[in-house]
Amino acid sequence: MFNKVLIANRGEIAVRIIRACRELGMHTVAVFSEADRQALHVRLSDEAYPIGPAPSRDSYLRMDKILDVAKKSNAGAIHPGYGFLAERSDFSQACEDEGITFIGPRASAIAAMGDKAVARATVLAAGVPVVPGTEGEGSLSDEDLLRLAPHIGFPLLIKATAGGGGKGMREVRNRDEMPSLLNAARSEAQAAFGDGNVYLEKLVEGARHIEFQIMADMDGNTVHLGERECSLQRRHQKLLEESPSPFIDDDEGFRQVMGEVAVKAAKSVNYANAGTIEFLVDKDKNFYFLEMNTRLQVEHPITEEVTGFDIVTEQLRIARGRQLGITQDQVKMKGWAIECRINAEDPYNNFLPSTGLISHLSVPTGPGVRVDTGVYAGFQISPYYDSLISKLVVRGESRAQAILRMRRALEEYRIVGVKTNIPFHQRLVEQARFIAGNFDTRFVEERFSLEKAEAGKEGYPEIAAIAATLVAHEQTERSAHIIARGKRDTSNWKWVSRWERMHR
Amino acid sequence: MFNKVLIANRGEIAVRIIRACRELGMHTVAVFSEADRQALHVRLSDEAYPIGPAPSRDSYLRMDKILDVAKKSNAGAIHPGYGFLAERSDFSQACEDEGITFIGPRASAIAAMGDKAVARATVLAAGVPVVPGTEGEGSLSDEDLLRLAPHIGFPLLIKATAGGGGKGMREVRNRDEMPSLLNAARSEAQAAFGDGNVYLEKLVEGARHIEFQIMADMDGNTVHLGERECSLQRRHQKLLEESPSPFIDDDEGFRQVMGEVAVKAAKSVNYANAGTIEFLVDKDKNFYFLEMNTRLQVEHPITEEVTGFDIVTEQLRIARGRQLGITQDQVKMKGWAIECRINAEDPYNNFLPSTGLISHLSVPTGPGVRVDTGVYAGFQISPYYDSLISKLVVRGESRAQAILRMRRALEEYRIVGVKTNIPFHQRLVEQARFIAGNFDTRFVEERFSLEKAEAGKEGYPEIAAIAATLVAHEQTERSAHIIARGKRDTSNWKWVSRWERMHR
Amino acid sequence: MKYITTISEREYTVEILGPRQVSVNGKLYDVDFQSISGQPVFSLLVDGGSYQAAVFPGEEDTLQVLMRGALYVATVEDERERRLKSAGGAGVAISGEYILRAPMPGLIVSLPVTDGQEVKKGDVLIILESMKMQNELKSPRDGKVTRVQVKAGDSVEQRQTILGVET
Amino acid sequence: MKYITTISEREYTVEILGPRQVSVNGKLYDVDFQSISGQPVFSLLVDGGSYQAAVFPGEEDTLQVLMRGALYVATVEDERERRLKSAGGAGVAISGEYILRAPMPGLIVSLPVTDGQEVKKGDVLIILESMKMQNELKSPRDGKVTRVQVKAGDSVEQRQTILGVET
């Protein structure tokens, strides 16, 4: 039975897994790219080894190097986190071949669910409803897809067979725009996953994205841990998730129906370990299997907060061959949890990613607040990886309390040095439709504008004017003096030069 | 009904209360001394007003100034936190006289419980067992006390009538040393509480300090929220608390007996709002009322974590006249919570308080970790107030999980710029007796030595030697070059000058 | 010292009367303004109201004030500047060339414009891949594309000049 | 560069062989040593083991290394220093005057010693009130109290000289 775990990942999820290992008394092995020598997962791990240059394909995607480190360090298991190698059946297989426990499902389950087309066919055969689409086997040519499209009907979605997270996804309104969109989707999928295959799917309008957390042990005991509401997305990237879903809320019957279908879907591929079944749900409570994520999910903490069940710890236990600690009737959702994904991006400038040194950081704390993060004051956000800085998670007795708690936590959160989407979340959680729980997957893109939301607020322009004027005034005063060169050099602050530029 | 609350406190507890107000949609008014202009409670509050110089007697203890601010800002209520004015019945009365809601018990209850001697007499009359001692009414002279001492028997404790937190407390082994100890206790009590009265109490040897959290509404509905184990103390200052108590653990019958007595004690003074009944418990499960703290307690978060009940929020609701949201049979303790008090003091140097600028701060986060704090990177720890920087609270499904989680959280916690007792806690939670739950109030002082605990560990002296040598080497290299003056000035780092001193 | 500060096209005349007093459009305020931790984060007490503001330099010599979850984009001019500017005539700020620089290191995925092409405000100038996302950089104004310095497939450094837009 | 580093009376000969290699008592280690955030907090990778160490100056030119919850007090001498010292004879460090300085600002509550008084190691020299606590400051050695510069009731600043202890 393993007692040392290699974490084949970086960022907040690597930190999350290290924490779980530590809480079980297991040793940890981190791997890092050249850009990540000072990353938090390297600092917190018991051991850490370099695996190559910054670009993922040269480091975090290099199975060979990671397996070498595992062997060198005598790690008995590998946790892949999410992204990178997490949904690569060949990696799971390679681990097995080397006698290293892969903390996740068997290679066959990843393969079956990883090809979205195969996945849909498999669960359909098990009696799980799916969104109408091209449930063919593996790769279809553009010609095939163009031919099948009218049978599915427009609008439809092009989706990457290998993918997730909205990459390689395109929405098609009519046949004419389809060829160029196919092209774009394939090239994006190729870049993101090394696999340009795509498939088509009917676009369910007014849909909610609701997913069920699954836990299964090696003996096939399978439970669901209730649902997560993930409809608030932008460019198919989830931004804010909550559990329970306000759409299901106290309709326990509906929850159990969906949950049973989710369990059935997982069992159709002999699933083991943690996984997520994603559904689209229309306003009449029809629901369709969308895909299964055969790995730990970014938003797993909200399920942990409402069920009291530590998913990562349980992943490790299951991988050690232990049976599930709970049965379905022991799973109780209590209270409400919300997660905001805090990204290094500028919500006022088209959500452009932002890189740079985090010069100051104040993390919200206190009752009911949890932050899963991979950064610290002094850390450099590089352009090589995704823009997720941290996940701000709150729990409350009720949805209303959770929302109010999230508001205060967002207001407390201070990150200086990179732009973040915190103001976006601040405005989002104030929206009447959000508070009413009345939104679908199009809400953020079609009904929510940060600028309009701000214009609609009364605000404090006089106070802002005072602040801006005093800052400018101080800079004028400062630039009127001779400033010691050293003082400038060590400052992260660009006003002096800015001011000089203004007055040139 | 009030909607704006003045917080007559500072530090972590002021921040805690501000957060609760914000989560209820209430406005907050902070007050601050000259030393606290940049304190977190000032930054987070909706409003903030100065109330005088740094020493507490000139600011946080000035009722008149605080009431002035309340009136000026139209605050409808005052939350006193703990310490400062929290247990001053005249302050509660003054608020009432001004038509401002005091968020706490009525003046009469504070007065009854505030004079420890009166308190003991009152609860004794209600059938609550007390530690044998001088249950007289109010002040006794040294002469009286010396005469009564032999009737109680040695060893005994001198305790401040007005006090708490170990201030003005002295342990007396025999009659000869008693006069000088009386003197010391009185002068310390006078300095701390403005009241030099003391009383005597039998010292229960091998005792545990276990307390019950009480919540009562204005209509007299009173519940207890289970117990907290507070035996781990040094100089009568609590250091680590947990809930439940490992001594009570799953003896639900004993918990309910003690809890009912605690409720009885509270009802004996018509208690309203949050309060704590402290008991001494001997190894045979005899228990004695020690005192009642008629206020929010430092260690309230562990009760919140195991009961899921937000004590501060409930305080505000009760003060608004609402009835208790729960009945006794709805109170369930689930899991286990531990709190470590993180103090600015040097555990390697006789716990000497440490002041200075916090130049770097990394707060532990992730699942099951809560930090209640009043500081941030860049904050100056001043010598004027107590040394509590923050409270690190963890919860787990079991005591074992909570302990492992506390270990990883302590290891993650980085505070640079002041010394802290984090290493003390790290060693404490590794002790076999702590893990076994086998300790009394003397454990820390009599059976635990940080130095011995470290000497007993294998450790990593070679690694430490490498680290020290590389740091020294780098400094030699650096001092061999001419260093830009400015660079030095803005550094918080004192090595260069130290190095120069060494090589002079 | 008197300043004209503009936020959302509204002008505020802010006069600094002393270390603790300013007036805005003639109205007096008690102000206690402090930088926190040596960072561009400020604690501001205005007549007892407590505000935390992060203040950053924005585009074209503006200051961005992020406060209570809202962004205020401010232009601060002192009276003298202002007089000089109005003497020189308005509209100066609009003309000239806009230089698009890479806001972060990345890969030019596509460059849908060519030298000399007319563009409208909001037209996509380039698509830059960074942090695993494709990001569209748009023209802030109408004009003509000039001096294109990159091509699709190029890697660019932060602040590297990509092209200009001339009015 | 060769150093003699002493921790808990044990000596380690640490040789810095290159930017990534050191030897300790002749044993080679791969070392990657980095300062974090410009702070005296270091991330140290030694043959793959990852350690975080905070390193602070301690009393009498020691370095305090706080690592994995334990404190190591180290003295680092380079070979040359070491040779000079042993030539000059041992025991030098013990003699001379110990100066007690206030470790923090506070109030002198009591001063149980007087000028010229003999004290033992561990005897209380003063009681200083700070952060609402009374703190006893003890003598680190046997000796004679000299140059008492304060009296009970005085307020002292941090680092202010209080008295000396002469051997």
Side-chain angles (χ1 to χ4, degrees), chain A residues 109-409:
Chain A
I110 301 178
M113 286 298 187
D115 184 317
K116 304 304 179 216
V118 175
R120 290 156 51 80
T122 308
V123 302
L124 196 59
V128 174
V130 303
V131 183
T134 60
E135 305 107 12
E137 307 249 326
S139 47
L140 290 173
S141 66
D142 282 12
E143 209 169 34
D144 293 336
L145 294 170
L146 285 165
R147 186 173 43 77
L148 290 166
H151 298 282
I152 296 162
F154 294 96
L156 55 75
L157 287 172
I158 305 170
K159 299 176 84 172
T161 306
K167 278 173 210 80
M169 193 185 289
R170 288 294 184 280
E171 187 180 322
V172 191
R173 289 272 143 198
N174 56 58
R175 202 189 172 290
D176 292 348
E177 63 182 23
M178 199 167 145
S180 71
L181 290 169
L182 271 173
N183 221 12
R186 282 192 196 276
S187 78
E188 202 171 296
Q190 182 69 42
F193 314 111
D195 177 354
N197 278 324
V198 297
Y199 66 101
L200 305 182
E201 196 176 87
K202 172 137 191 72
L203 197 156
V204 179
E205 292 192 277
R208 287 176 172 261
H209 176 127
I210 295 175
E211 62 186 27
F212 275 71
Q213 176 70 49
I214 295 294
M215 293 299 303
D217 63 26
M218 313 284 267
D219 300 333
N221 299 310
T222 308
V223 299
H224 71 84
L225 301 179
E227 81 281 7
R228 293 185 288 257
E229 167 69 62
C230 306
S231 300
L232 294 170
Q233 308 182 348
R234 190 184 157 275
R235 292 168 70 179
H236 300 286
Q237 295 276 4
K238 295 168 189 166
L239 289 166
L240 182 152
E241 301 99 346
E242 54 185 311
S243 182
S245 162
F247 188 63
I248 298 183
D249 202 2
D250 53 4
D251 187 347
E252 195 57 41
F254 184 48
R255 173 172 296 120
Q256 290 317 325
V257 168
M258 283 189 78
E260 280 159 28
V261 169
V263 167
K264 199 188 287 179
K267 288 196 166 187
S268 74
V269 292
N270 293 315
Y271 200 79
N273 217 295
T276 297
I277 310 286
E278 296 190 337
F279 293 106
L280 279 185
V281 185
D282 73 17
K283 61 182 193 323
D284 303 317
K285 297 199 173 174
N286 298 308
F287 60 96
Y288 308 98
F289 171 86
L290 207 50
E291 61 179 33
M292 178 169 198
N293 294 315
T294 56
R295 51 161 168 87
L296 186 62
Q297 198 92 328
V298 176
E299 58 271 26
H300 74 275
I302 51 175
T303 298
E304 296 184 325
E305 295 299 321
V306 293
T307 63
F309 192 81
D310 188 318
I311 293 171
V312 182
T313 299
E314 196 68 17
Q315 282 195 295
L316 293 162
R317 287 193 183 121
I318 288 170
R320 274 180 155 187
R322 293 260 298 270
Q323 286 205 325
L324 261 188
I326 45 165
T327 55
Q328 189 62 58
D329 57 353
Q330 289 173 313
V331 177
K332 297 266 175 282
M333 296 172 89
K334 187 169 178 295
W336 210 282
I338 304 177
E339 168 181 286
C340 287
R341 299 191 187 196
I342 309 301
N343 296 331
E345 56 189 27
D346 186 354
Y348 297 105
N349 187 10
N350 204 26
F351 293 88
L352 214 56
S354 177
T355 58
L357 183 84
I358 297 180
S359 60
H360 183 75
L361 182 64
S362 257
V363 174
T365 57
V369 174
R370 163 178 172 184
V371 179
D372 278 22
T373 183
V375 306
Y376 56 88
F379 184 71
Q380 180 82 34
I381 304 286
S382 80
Y384 298 106
Y385 313 110
D386 69 27
S387 60
L388 184 68
I389 293 181
S390 77
K391 302 181 309 201
L392 173 56
V393 180
V394 301
R395 71 190 144 86
E397 287 167 45
S398 62
R399 187 166 186 266
Q401 197 198 7
I403 291 173
L404 284 162
R405 187 160 272 174
M406 180 58 85
R407 285 194 200 168
R408 77 103 175 137

Side-chain angles (χ1 to χ4, degrees), chain A residues 478-497:
Chain A
R478 270 227 265 170
S479 66
H481 291 76
I482 291 151
I483 294 156
R485 183 160 175 73
K487 238 181 176 168
R488 263 197 240 168
D489 288 349
T490 53
S491 159
N492 288 310
W493 190 223
K494 303 181 201 93
W495 286 341
V496 176
S497 56

Side-chain angles (χ1 to χ4, degrees), chain D residues 11 18-20 26 38 49 57 69 72 75 110-112 120-121 155 163 166:
Chain D
E11 288 187 0
R20 290 287 186 109
Y72 303 87
T75 316
S110 129
L111 191 106
K120 295 268 172 219
K121 178 176 171 178
S155 285
L163 50 76
E166 221 175 56

Side-chain angles (χ1 to χ4, degrees), chain B residues 61 76 209 283 319 339 393:
Chain B
L61 289 171
H209 176 127
K283 61 182 193 322
E339 169 181 285
V393 180

Side-chain angles (χ1 to χ4, degrees), chain A residues 56 83-84 167 170 187-188 191 234-235 237 344-346 348 350-356 359-360 381-387 411 414-417 419 423 426-427 430 454 457-474 476-477 492-495 498-499 501-503, chain C residues 1 3-5 7 10 12 14-16 22-25 29 31 33 35-42 44 46 51-72 74-76 78 80-81 103-106 128-138 158:
Chain A
S56 330
F84 297 132
K167 278 173 210 80
R170 288 294 184 280
S187 78
E188 202 171 296
R234 190 184 157 275
R235 292 168 70 179
Q237 295 276 4
E345 56 189 27
D346 186 354
Y348 297 105
N350 204 26
F351 293 88
L352 214 56
S354 177
T355 58
S359 60
H360 183 75
I381 304 286
S382 80
Y384 298 106
Y385 313 110
D386 69 27
S387 60
E411 181 61 24
R414 304 255 144 214
I415 301 175
V416 181
K419 312 258 186 194
Q426 287 185 283
R427 283 294 164 264
E430 282 174 4
E454 290 200 359
K457 290 268 294 187
E458 205 170 309
Y460 305 89
E462 283 87 1
I463 306 295
I466 293 172
T469 308
L470 289 171
V471 166
H473 176 69
E474 206 169 86
T476 318
E477 301 281 296
N492 288 310
W493 190 223
K494 303 181 201 93
W495 286 341
R498 172 189 164 272
W499 201 261
R501 207 171 65 238
M502 280 179 70
H503 287 257
Chain C
M1 204 54 188
Y3 295 89
I4 315 295
T5 298
I7 293 178
R10 185 174 294 183
Y12 300 87
V14 182
E15 193 164 4
I16 297 168
V22 305
S23 73
V24 180
N25 296 338
Y29 292 95
V31 171
F33 182 72
S35 159
I36 299 294
S37 311
Q39 293 290 324
V41 173
F42 300 89
L44 186 64
V46 180
Y51 305 86
Q52 289 198 79
V55 185
F56 300 93
E59 291 297 303
E60 300 181 359
D61 291 336
T62 56
L63 284 172
Q64 298 194 341
V65 180
L66 196 54
M67 192 175 71
R68 295 200 179 175
L71 184 75
Y72 303 87
T75 315
V76 182
D78 69 26
R80 204 179 114 263
E81 269 185 297
M104 74 209 91
L128 179 69
E129 186 175 306
S130 191
M131 294 176 115
K132 295 168 72 190
M133 294 287 289
Q134 300 200 352
N135 308 288
E136 299 179 337
L137 303 184
K138 296 173 179 174
Q158 189 157 18

